[in-house]
Every structure is written in C-alpha cells, then in structure tokens.
Amino acid sequence: MSREMPAREVWREPRRATPLDNVIDVQMTRLRKKVDTDGGPRLIHTVRGVGFVLRGGEP
Amino acid sequence: MSPSTASIRVRLTGWYSVVLFLMMGVYATATFVAVRHEFLEQLDDQLHDDFETAEGFLAPASDGRIAWSSDRHHDPDNDEERGSDVWSASGEPIYRSSASAVLPPAAIAAATATPRYESLVTNGRRWRTLTGTSLVGGRAVVLRVSRSEDRLRTQLWEILVVLVLGLPLVVALAGIGGYALARGALMPIDHLATEARRITADRLHERLSVPNQHDEIGRLASVINDTFARLESSFDQLRRFTTDASHELRTPLSVIRGIGEMGLKETRTPAEYKEALGSMLEEVDRLTTLVDTLLRLSHGDAGTVRLSPEPVDLSQLARDVVSSLGILAEERNQRLRVDAVEPVSITADRLVLREAITNVVDNAIKYSPRSSAIDIRVYQEGDHAMVAVADEGPGIAAEHRQRIFDRFFRLDEARSRDAGGAGLGLAIARWAVEANGGEISVDSRTNGGSVFRIVLPLRVPTVAEFPPLLGTGPAEKLATGFKAAVNELGRAKSSSATKQ
C-alpha cells in the first residue's frame, strides 16, 4: 500500500502533501503497535520509498 | 486621427500658433471694423461742419438773388477734396465749386429740411455728400456739401496692410518663443528618458535623479523610481527563488547519486540493495513533492489555477483540519484547542482554503515546543472572517515577519530540514489565502509565541442554504477507514496463522 492510497481513500485529498504524509506515518506507527503485539509475528512492514506492506512470516 | 510622429513640443507650438493666429485674426478684424466706422463717422461730422460753414457763405445780394461769397480763409474752391453746390428751390444752380462739378446735380425734389447723407461714386472716386435745404433771406435753397473719400480709403488701406502683414509676423515670433518655452519645459523629460534607458536589469539599483520632487517632472520621476524599486525587489525575489529552488532540487539529487555510487562500489547483500533502492525512492519522493509544490505555486503565479468557490463553513473546515492533524500534535504532547463553534460561512474554494489552514496549523505544530498549547480560533469580525492560529513557539523576529511567507525562507535552516519541510508550507498558505481574496499575516504574542491570522472576505453565499455536508467529517471517515483496515488485517493475520 503506498501513501497515496490512504490519502485518497481516507482523507479524500487529491494530492499528497507533507503534513498528510506525516499524519499517515504516525497513524501507521500506531496501527503497528496495536497489530504487532509482543511475541507475535510482525505483519506490517515499511518498505522504504514505497509504502507499507501487510505480510506474515518472514521479516 | 492617427498618432502624430511629431514631438510634443512641435505639436504644442503648432497648436499654440494656430490658436494665436485665430485670436489675432479676430482681434485685427474687430480693430479694422471699429477704425473704419470711426473714420466714416468723422467724415460725416466734417460734412456737418462744412454744411454750416457753407450756409454762412450764402447771402441775398442787392439784386435780390442769393449769392455765394466765400472769404479767403475758408475758401473751399481750390480744394480738390471737397466741394459745395447750391441750387435754388426750382433747380436753378446758384453756385458749383470746381471739385464737385463732376458730381451729378442733387435731387431737388427729394431735398428736405433734415440733411441727408449719401455716398456717390463718380469716375471711380467715392464721395460722401450731405444734402439739405436752407433758408437764406426767406427763400429756400438746396445746399450740398461733399468730401472725397480718397484720403480716408488710403488711410484704411494702410491700416489693413499693417494688420495683415503684421499678423503672421507676430504669430511667427510667438511661435518661436513658444517653441523655446516648450523645449525648456520638456527638456527634463528627455533627461528622464535618457536616464531611464540607462537603468537595465543589471543596474536596477540605480534611480533617476529628482531635481525637485514637487513639480510635475519630479512627481513623474518619483513614480518611475517607485516602479524601479518594485521591479528591483521582484527581480531579487526571483533571483533568490531560482537560487533556492536549484539548491533544494540539488540536494536530493546528490543524495540519490551518492547512494547509487555506494551501492555499486562493492557487492552487497540483497537486503542492502533493497535498503539502498528504498532510500533512493524516498529521495525521489521528496523531489517529486517539491517539484509538484513548485509547479502549483507557479501555476498560482501565472493565474492558471481555476478555483471553484462554494459556500464553506470556516469553523467546520478548521475543525476538519484539526481532527486530521491532531495526531501530529498528540505525538508531540501538544494541546490543540479549537474555538470554532459558531458557523462562519464564506464563499471560497474549499480544497485550496483547507490547504492554507492545514499548512499554518502544521507549521504551528512543527515549531512549537513539546507539551505546549496551540489555539485555533475562527470568528467573524465586521465583514471579514478570521482564522487565528496562536502558538507558544519561539516567535518570529519582526524583521523576518515579511519574509516568512516567501518561498524557501527558513528561520532555522537545520531544524526545519529535520522537520521535513522545504520552506514552502507558508508560501503555499499565502498563495491559497490570496487566491481566495484574503490576507495572511503573522504577529508576535506578548508571551513570546506567534499568531498567524488569515483574514477572508465574508461574501454572502449565493446559495441560500448550505447544502448538507456530505456524509460525515474526516475524523469519522478516518475511523471507519481504519476500522476496515484493521478488520482486513485481522483476517490476514488469522489466514496467515492458519497457514503456519
């Protein structure tokens, strides 16, 4: 999932701007905290320069 | 009339001469007519005197006939210019002077007691006559005195010649004087033109000399100087902008190049390559955002951005922005307080205006210390809508307040780069506010923070009633969006769990 997707789908912004990018990053961090609980497999991975990916198993 | 190629002074002199010629012409004509009238009147007066003198020469002789006896002093006989004739009531000539002998006899029947003036032309000579009856010794005679108009005509002719020949001469002299005056008066303009031509893009700091700033030329020079000042500042701004933009674009490019070079230097693990590619993409992202922003700003400058004004509740808009950016403040433990209860309805482009408020609030969050408070207030003041964003940050020195909305202007180079900005947020905000007919300014608070104020004209919405806000606010949208995402994640997690 690239950052454009939540920008478009959730915030209904036609463009990506710096404030919104930061908002998305913070929201993803929080989501990760909730989903990737201690001990469990990490599911949300950040792919630098692209966005986020939901993937079980390997790092 | 096609635009004349003649210089102003030539045209000025031309008009001046034409007007003067007409005025002098009227004046000369009036003078001539008045003089001629006066001369003719004098002639008639003289005839009247002549008539009385002639009456004195008539006396009854001893034989009972009326005789003409002029004395030596008043002998009109040898005068070529005047004459006297006397007839008896029956038309018998009593006396005829030599000069007037050429004139036809007077009409005896028409002669009355009241003298009658008459003009006669004989052999090409004009005569003025006065005819009347006179009683001499109880008997009526017809007496006619006459004077030649020759001398009068000659005098009038001389006056006419003087007037007709003098007129062009006077106009010509006045024209020369007028031309010299106009040249003197317009000379400073030539000077200005020469000076102004000297000032080019490379020498914009130079100014025209203003000898006297209170006269017309001085005011003109001052106006031109003001224009040069504005031109210079726009030029400076443009130059600075170009330099800054090149710098900003260079930085990500050199980072990308650096990463690429590092990656190629030696063989690395796939994970390291991935990392390097990711870094490059991040920089490309940054570059793209920057170029996008610059493009938007330049579209704004060129006036090619089409706005779609609609009724907007400014309070609602501010609450939307706060709910969307609130998470950033939360991360920094800042309190975002919104005082926007009363709806403030204006007509504006919602998206563009939202961008302005977003950038100002984001700016406040970024530069305010942790655990401070940011107050956002929306209210109506007169016929203006106001958005005030007050923070408890370090404040902005007075000398920077003008430039803070300039592109790429940063107060603290190192810190704002860390915060991820390119110094364009407030420039975008200013553009967005001005595009909606408003103004943005910044002030310092007494306690050290700054207040950003957005003032927008309060136009009465063309739609009588606001259309109901579509769906729910962004906060709710955010919540539902994330709920859906979490649900999906949950499903994925369970499916991956079953896989294992």
Side-chain angles (χ1 to χ4, degrees):
Chain A
M1 176 179 79
S2 67
R3 286 190 181 85
E4 270 89 359
M5 284 169 62
R8 221 176 24 242
E9 301 298 325
V10 183
W11 282 273
R12 303 261 178 255
E13 286 273 2
R15 292 176 290 274
R16 272 179 57 204
T18 321
L20 192 57
D21 264 10
N22 295 342
V23 170
I24 293 169
D25 285 351
V26 174
Q27 294 283 22
M28 287 310 292
T29 312
R30 291 191 176 184
L31 189 62
R32 182 180 287 134
K33 263 185 211 159
K34 284 182 186 159
V35 176
D36 296 347
T37 43
D38 286 338
R42 288 186 60 209
L43 291 179
I44 299 175
H45 303 270
T46 307
V47 182
R48 290 190 61 194
V50 179
F52 307 95
V53 68
L54 186 67
R55 190 168 51 200
E58 81 260 38
Chain B
M1 207 170 106
S2 65
S4 172
T5 50
S7 70
I8 288 182
R9 54 174 179 267
V10 169
R11 274 182 287 162
L12 211 58
T13 311
W15 278 108
Y16 175 65
S17 303
V18 167
V19 170
L20 190 73
F21 184 84
L22 291 176
M23 277 165 58
M24 292 295 283
V26 170
Y27 177 72
T29 310
T31 307
F32 183 74
V33 168
V35 166
R36 183 171 173 274
H37 181 77
E38 183 61 28
F39 274 20
L40 287 174
E41 209 136 80
Q42 272 181 19
L43 189 67
D44 286 356
D45 283 350
Q46 284 169 351
L47 280 175
H48 185 76
D49 289 348
D50 286 352
F51 193 86
E52 282 178 355
T53 312
E55 272 182 321
F57 291 154
L58 289 170
S62 50
D63 58 354
R65 284 175 36 200
I66 293 168
W68 175 266
S69 54
S70 59
D71 61 38
R72 237 173 263 283
H73 297 293
H74 290 99
D75 186 8
D77 236 13
N78 298 324
D79 200 332
E80 276 295 301
E81 297 291 317
R82 51 181 178 165
S84 316
D85 304 279
V86 190
W87 291 272
S88 68
S90 54
E92 206 70 22
I94 294 171
Y95 171 76
R96 298 209 65 176
S97 68
S98 57
S100 59
V102 293
L103 293 174
I108 306 302
T112 55
T114 326
R116 192 161 51 88
Y117 291 100
E118 231 178 339
S119 287
L120 297 174
V121 181
T122 308
N123 301 338
R125 288 183 76 190
R126 292 175 67 92
W127 291 82
R128 186 79 174 156
T129 64
L130 175 60
T131 314
T133 53
S134 182
L135 281 175
V136 181
R139 289 169 58 189
V141 291
V142 175
L143 171 62
R144 183 180 73 183
V145 288
S146 43
R147 272 176 182 258
S148 160
E149 290 186 8
D150 283 358
R151 191 178 299 156
L152 181 139
R153 294 285 153 191
T154 314
Q155 280 173 339
L156 281 179
W157 177 249
E158 278 167 6
I159 291 172
L160 192 66
V161 166
V162 166
L163 285 177
V164 167
L165 290 185
L167 184 70
L169 196 70
V170 167
V171 170
L173 282 174
I176 291 169
Y179 184 82
L181 267 178
R183 216 173 68 127
L186 295 174
M187 189 89 85
I189 292 184
D190 278 345
H191 274 298
L192 277 191
T194 318
E195 280 194 71
R197 198 171 295 126
R198 210 190 55 228
I199 301 177
T200 56
D202 299 327
R203 303 168 68 177
L204 266 181
H205 58 277
E206 288 186 21
R207 295 286 177 272
L208 304 177
S209 52
V210 185
N212 174 9
Q213 59 177 359
H214 298 297
D215 66 8
E216 290 83 347
I217 303 293
R219 284 203 295 274
L220 177 66
S222 301
V223 168
I224 295 176
N225 276 344
D226 286 351
T227 310
F228 276 135
R230 283 202 298 274
L231 211 56
E232 189 186 8
S233 95
S234 332
F235 248 79
D236 281 352
Q237 220 173 334
L238 191 68
R239 208 170 284 159
R240 212 160 47 221
F241 174 74
T242 315
T243 318
D244 291 346
S246 324
H247 179 73
E248 291 299 325
L249 294 171
R250 253 196 103 83
T251 313
L253 283 176
S254 45
V255 170
I256 292 169
R257 186 172 181 91
I259 297 169
E261 284 171 351
M262 284 291 291
L264 284 180
K265 228 174 206 170
E266 47 198 276
T267 318
R268 299 185 188 268
T269 64
E272 280 173 324
Y273 280 129
K274 267 191 172 176
E275 183 70 16
L277 283 173
S279 297
M280 284 170 128
L281 284 178
E282 268 180 7
E283 290 303 321
V284 169
D285 238 24
R286 192 192 293 260
L287 208 56
T288 310
T289 316
L290 187 65
V291 170
D292 275 353
T293 313
L294 285 180
L295 267 177
R296 269 169 59 64
L297 278 171
S298 71
H299 279 315
D301 287 347
T304 48
V305 175
R306 185 163 296 178
L307 299 178
S308 42
E310 52 178 331
V312 177
D313 178 4
L314 204 52
S315 293
Q316 181 65 45
L317 197 63
R319 288 199 296 271
D320 284 356
V321 169
V322 166
S323 75
S324 145
L325 293 185
I327 193 164
L328 294 179
E330 224 171 80
E331 282 293 295
R332 296 171 59 82
N333 208 15
Q334 292 160 331
R335 292 181 306 284
L336 270 185
R337 295 191 295 230
V338 193
D339 177 8
V341 187
E342 292 290 309
V344 176
S345 45
I346 62 166
T347 306
D349 185 307
R350 183 189 299 272
L351 275 179
V352 170
L353 196 56
R354 187 193 159 100
E355 210 170 354
I357 301 174
T358 303
N359 273 303
V360 172
V361 174
D362 180 56
N363 190 71
I365 293 172
K366 235 186 279 178
Y367 297 110
S368 287
R370 291 184 159 273
S371 311
S372 63
I374 295 158
D375 288 293
I376 295 135
R377 212 153 78 79
V378 180
Y379 56 101
Q380 194 176 322
E381 198 177 82
D383 52 355
H384 285 95
M386 312 272 289
V387 182
V389 179
D391 61 43
E392 295 172 354
I396 297 146
E399 68 262 29
H400 290 137
R401 274 182 216 148
Q402 268 301 311
R403 293 195 53 208
I404 193 147
F405 298 103
D406 283 359
R407 289 156 202 192
F408 299 118
F409 182 78
R410 290 195 194 88
L411 275 175
D412 184 345
E413 198 77 13
R415 215 176 49 137
S416 44
R417 224 180 263 280
D418 287 347
L424 287 175
L426 290 178
I428 283 274
R430 175 168 73 174
W431 166 75
V433 169
E434 284 174 0
N436 278 301
E439 269 173 41
I440 188 167
S441 62
V442 64
D443 253 323
S444 268
R445 296 170 92 187
T446 40
N447 60 3
S450 344
V451 194
F452 283 83
R453 280 200 189 82
I454 296 173
V455 185
L456 289 158
L458 196 70
R459 271 165 288 182
V460 182
T462 42
V463 188
E465 195 94 20
F466 276 145
L469 283 167
L470 287 171
T472 42
E476 284 84 349
K477 277 179 202 158
L478 187 65
T480 31
F482 267 86
K483 224 177 270 170
V486 169
N487 282 343
E488 216 159 291
L489 278 170
R491 274 201 301 279
K493 198 174 185 180
S494 55
S495 71
S496 69
T498 49
K499 232 183 258 171
Q500 277 178 341

